[in-house]
Amino acid sequence: MATKAEKDVYAKLARYGCVLCKQTGIRELEDSPTEMHHIRRYGGKRNLAPVIPLCAIHHRLGDSSIHALGHKGFEKYWGFSEEDLLNRLDDK
Ligand SMILES: [Zn+2]
Ligand SMILES: [Zn+2]
């Protein structure tokens, strides 16, 4: 169950769009709905985990998606980690 504060954050991130598409300049899919990816390494409590907005391709559908590659594989493939993308959100 998302709280009101979480929903506000998610709405803002959804408007921001896929952070990986922005980072790479590649839009895999036009108008792909933005999905929230929880970075689970912190503590494990899902609703406290930081989230990054990703398009469906980069989130879970594509071969180079975070869920296809896993945390380490993702960093190796793209050259930056989930945390790097998270930090990128802050200085937009
Ligand atoms: Zn993307
Ligand atoms: Zn995810």
Side-chain angles (χ1 to χ4, degrees):
M1 238 350 196
T3 65
K4 165 104 172 62
E6 282 172 329
K7 279 183 190 158
D8 288 348
V9 170
Y10 290 3
K12 194 171 143 218
L13 290 176
R15 278 197 300 275
Y16 182 81
C18 174
V19 64
L20 189 53
C21 287
K22 282 200 194 233
Q23 192 64 26
T24 59
I26 306 164
R27 272 198 80 78
E28 297 275 1
L29 201 61
E30 280 305 322
D31 299 326
S32 169
T34 308
E35 302 180 345
M36 296 302 136
H37 173 66
H38 291 78
I39 302 175
R40 282 163 208 236
R41 300 206 308 163
Y42 306 96
K45 273 195 182 165
R46 195 174 191 274
N47 54 10
L48 290 180
V51 289
I52 51 174
L54 291 170
C55 66
I57 297 285
H58 285 143
H59 184 216
R60 59 192 167 81
L61 294 180
D63 291 338
S64 56
S65 69
I66 180 66
H67 284 280
L69 292 169
H71 183 82
K72 284 228 169 68
F74 183 86
E75 186 168 359
K76 207 168 161 195
Y77 185 93
W78 290 105
F80 34 75
S81 66
E82 292 163 277
E83 284 83 2
D84 291 334
L85 293 175
L86 185 68
N87 292 334
R88 206 68 57 159
L89 285 174
D90 292 333
D91 54 46
K92 64 175 178 272

